[in-house]
């Protein structure tokens, strides 16, 4: 769905704002105040601030929710210039929605107690941001920090809400203890980390010396992606007040005691202290035996791209052999935060030539409905998230297929949105394949039409550089977005077309200002998925074929 046109000349007359803010059209003159358009209605001040944190100190924020716009004031013009220049080449996103970053006509953001950003949440978000960016090592110097008691020169650690429990969702890339340390040390001194696998998810316990560091880290990182569109952090407070780390290795680490033995990495039981005697026996966690990351895979993960956290091969200018094929930028990626020393975490990066998982474009799709699935169906469905080059349904295992996308981030988007999606009555599984390409059958080799090449297809959604389709990628839903509707076609025509193909239309609505587009709601997400497969490219007239995608809206 194309974003609605910004109202660049509107005045902000919201009741909660006392003064009018002129929304500008001229974006060419540098200013330390940045204008952000097309923000989601429910976005918070903290989320706006986090867009600016990687580029420098944030000094003020004003969110105009009624106008879907915001203003962000940076500490200096250089920081603002870096931010605007970066997002000119790489689309910024908030809650999966594309937002537009430009200079404001205002040279500073003057607000008073009547303005929306004077409320408690905005002030708290600003204080947290200033604390985060106050020192390059992540010290919280911007606000008062509780003193840490010392005994024999050693910190006494422990206390309520100093230990965070971190769960990594959609873990496409391997996440190591070192990567977590790089991320979380930004918000304060990390004392101890224990990693483990529980309920088939990778988790970690991370201990800070004080509650403020833990609170700032939780507020800043909860819900953020470590890498583009994957490896999502879910953070809450652990009931534990301290971690008792027995070994320093790639599964657990006590940064206050470097003399601990390494232990047996392959069969290790970490005892977690500070509360097991208080009914927390369920938190005695057996660390799953996982092979140590090879140097190449660690390098892949560090270079794979991290919104606001680590460098990415998709960021222009990264001096790495992984970077050269993908210099256009990826929606959602942010540059590395200052103060992160990648080289310390990955001494083997120099001379790396094996791209490994970071550049994987082939997906293995399994648990397909053999009776219903075809290469064309997979091309249409996966085409929502990337330009499908080739599809191969496996000859001897027809419930599985290989799907090759044009670029790595498209493959990762497909995994994020489609793994476990119900398609034709079965929950499909989607993961990266070990294959680097989908091979076409040799001439004369029997294939029964199971392999198809789509590299020259006119139906690719993202072939055009800077395509607006990138800004409108949404998870599967029961509501579909229809476009390319000719003026001669009315609501009944479209409903009849869906009905004749076996779909029950629950609701329908044309866009008020553009009748070339509409929303159509199906009774369930399962039916919407089937309808997208069947009705995308459906011929409405001699020269118009219907375009169908998932919508974030409902009718």
């Amino acid at each position: 769905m194309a974003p609605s046109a910004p109202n660049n000349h509107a005045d902000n007359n919201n009741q909660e704002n006392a003064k009018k803010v002129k929304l500008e059209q001229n974006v060419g003159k540098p200013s330390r105040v940045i204008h952000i358009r097309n923000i989601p209605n429910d976005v918070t001040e903290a989320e706006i601030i986090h867009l600016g944190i990687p580029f420098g100190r944030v000094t003020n924020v004003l969110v105009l929710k009624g106008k879907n716009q915001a203003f962000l004031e940076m500490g200096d013009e250089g920081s603002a210039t870096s931010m605007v220049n970066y997002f000119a080449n790489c689309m910024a996103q908030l809650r999966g929605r594309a937002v537009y970053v430009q200079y404001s006509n205002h040279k500073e953001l003057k607000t008073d107690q009547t303005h929306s950003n004077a409320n408690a949440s905005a002030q708290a978000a600003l204080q947290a941001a200033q604390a985060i960016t106050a020192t390059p090592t992540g010290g919280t110097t911007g606000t008062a920090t509780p003193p840490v008691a010392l005994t024999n020169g050693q910190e006494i650690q422990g206390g309520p809400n100093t230990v965070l429990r971190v769960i990594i969702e959609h873990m496409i890339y391997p996440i190591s203890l070192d990567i977590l340390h790089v991320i979380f040390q930004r918000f304060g001194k990390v004392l101890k980390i224990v990693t483990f696998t529980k309920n088939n998810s990778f988790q970690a316990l991370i201990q800070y010396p004080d509650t403020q560091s833990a609170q700032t880290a939780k507020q800043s990182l909860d819900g953020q992606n470590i890498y583009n569109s994957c490896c999502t952090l879910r953070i809450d407070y652990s009931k534990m007040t301290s971690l008792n780390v027995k070994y320093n290795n790639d599964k657990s680490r006590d940064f206050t005691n470097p003399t601990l033995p390494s232990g047996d990495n392959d069969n290790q039981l970490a005892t977690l202290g500070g509360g097991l005697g208080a009914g927390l026996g369920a938190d005695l966690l057996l660390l799953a035996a996982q092979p140590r990351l090879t140097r190449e895979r660690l390098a892949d993960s560090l270079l794979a791209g991290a919104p606001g956290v680590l460098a990415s091969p998709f960021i222009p200018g990264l001096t790495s052999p992984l970077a050269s094929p993908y210099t256009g930028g990826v929606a959602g990626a942010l540059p590395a935060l200052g103060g992160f020393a990648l080289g310390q975490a990955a001494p083997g990066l120099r001379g790396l030539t094996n791209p490994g998982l970071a550049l994987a474009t082939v997906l293995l799709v399994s648990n397909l409905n053999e009776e219903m699935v075809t290469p064309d169906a997979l091309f249409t469905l996966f085409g929502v998230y990337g330009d499908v080059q080739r599809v191969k349904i496996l000859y001897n295992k027809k419930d599985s297929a290989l799907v090759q996308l044009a670029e790595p981030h498209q493959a990762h988007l497909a995994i994020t949105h489609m793994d476990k999606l119900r398609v034709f009555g079965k929950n499909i599984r989607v993961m990266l394949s070990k294959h680097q390409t989908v091979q076409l059958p040799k001439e004369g080799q029997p294939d029964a039409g199971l392999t198809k090449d789509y590299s020259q297809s006119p139906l690719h959604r993202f072939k055009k550089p800077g395509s607006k389709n990138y800004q409108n990628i949404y998870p599967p839903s029961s509501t579909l977005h229809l476009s390319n509707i000719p003026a001669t076609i009315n609501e009944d025509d479209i409903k009849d077309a869906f009905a004749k193909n076996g779909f029950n239309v629950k609701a329908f609505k044309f866009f008020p200002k553009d009748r070339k587009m509409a929303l159509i709601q199906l009774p369930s997400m399962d039916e919407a998925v089937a309808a997208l497969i069947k009705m995308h490219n459906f011929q409405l007239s001699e020269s118009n074929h219907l375009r169908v995608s998932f919508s974030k809206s409902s009718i």
Side-chain angles (χ1 to χ4, degrees), residues 256-296:
T256 68
N257 186 4
T259 62
L260 287 177
S262 62
D264 179 6
N265 288 338
D266 294 325
N267 187 15
Q268 174 189 348
L269 180 65
T271 303
L272 309 177
L276 289 179
L280 294 177
D283 280 326
L284 183 65
L285 301 166
L286 177 65
L287 305 191
Q290 296 182 359
R292 181 188 295 268
L293 288 176
T294 62
R295 177 174 294 177
E296 289 81 2

Side-chain angles (χ1 to χ4, degrees), residues 4 113 149 177 196 206 212 219 232 255 311 431 524:
S4 58
Q113 291 303 310
L177 184 149
F196 53 93
I206 299 175
Q212 183 168 335
Q219 179 182 1
T232 306
F255 296 95
M431 63 191 73
S524 68

Side-chain angles (χ1 to χ4, degrees), residues 59-328:
T59 53
N60 211 345
V61 62
L62 176 62
V63 178
L64 310 179
K65 293 186 178 180
K67 298 291 184 182
N68 296 102
Q69 305 186 36
F71 292 86
L72 193 66
E73 182 184 84
M74 305 300 290
D76 57 77
E77 197 173 284
S79 299
T81 299
S82 297
M83 182 174 176
V84 171
N85 288 345
Y86 180 78
F87 286 123
N89 299 313
C90 177
M91 181 59 66
Q93 287 192 347
L94 286 170
R95 301 195 179 195
R97 181 174 181 174
V99 298
Y100 303 93
V101 177
Q102 62 193 48
Y103 294 117
S104 167
N105 281 343
H106 301 284
K107 293 302 180 184
E108 62 180 330
L109 195 56
K110 293 181 180 178
T111 55
D112 54 40
Q113 291 303 310
T114 61
H115 280 82
S116 59
N117 79 314
N119 63 37
S121 63
Q123 290 302 313
L126 275 171
Q127 289 176 10
Q130 288 159 0
I132 292 166
T133 56
T135 63
T137 56
T140 54
T141 59
T143 52
T145 303
V148 179
L150 298 176
T151 300
N152 298 326
Q154 294 294 315
E155 293 176 349
I156 299 174
Q157 305 96 25
N161 294 348
T162 59
V163 179
L164 298 177
R165 166 159 290 184
V166 181
I167 300 174
I168 313 292
E169 296 180 351
H170 307 300
M171 200 173 82
I172 295 173
Y173 296 115
I175 302 299
S176 69
L177 184 149
D178 288 318
I179 291 172
L180 291 174
H181 184 243
V182 165
I183 295 167
F184 281 85
Q185 73 174 352
R186 180 69 186 178
F187 305 94
K189 182 177 181 181
V190 174
L191 303 179
K192 302 172 184 178
I193 300 180
V194 174
T195 64
F196 53 93
T197 299
K198 184 180 182 182
N199 299 330
N200 294 321
S201 67
F202 180 73
Q203 303 186 23
L205 294 169
I206 299 175
Q207 184 179 338
Y208 286 102
D210 57 82
T211 56
Q212 183 168 335
S213 298
Q215 181 182 14
T216 304
K218 179 179 183 298
Q219 179 182 1
S220 302
L221 294 174
D222 186 28
Q224 299 293 320
N225 293 334
I226 297 178
Y227 299 131
N228 283 309
S229 306
C230 66
C231 301
T232 306
L233 294 164
R234 301 296 178 196
I235 304 173
D236 58 15
Y237 294 111
S238 170
K239 294 178 182 178
M240 297 180 184
T241 57
S242 182
L243 302 179
N244 182 19
V245 176
K246 300 293 187 183
Y247 304 105
N248 281 343
N249 52 40
D250 59 352
K251 303 299 177 191
S252 64
R253 194 87 48 85
D254 184 343
F255 296 95
T256 68
N257 186 4
T259 62
L260 287 177
S262 62
D264 179 6
N265 288 338
D266 294 325
N267 187 15
Q268 174 189 348
L269 180 65
T271 303
L272 309 177
L276 289 179
L280 294 177
D283 280 326
L284 183 65
L285 301 166
L286 177 65
L287 305 191
Q290 296 182 359
R292 181 188 295 268
L293 288 176
T294 62
R295 177 174 294 177
E296 289 81 2
R297 291 190 68 190
L298 174 60
D300 284 346
S301 62
L302 285 173
L303 288 174
V309 178
L310 300 174
S312 159
F314 309 116
I315 292 176
L318 180 67
T319 54
S320 159
L322 302 185
S324 54
Y326 304 100
T327 55

Side-chain angles (χ1 to χ4, degrees), residues 7 11 23 29 81 142 154 159 178 235 292 297 318 324 335 346 375 392-393 395 479 482 550:
N7 185 356
D11 287 333
L23 304 179
K29 296 179 181 179
T81 299
Q154 294 294 315
D178 288 318
I235 304 173
R292 181 188 295 268
R297 291 190 68 190
L318 180 67
S324 54
K392 183 184 192 73
I393 296 176
Y395 190 78
T479 304
L482 310 180
F550 294 115

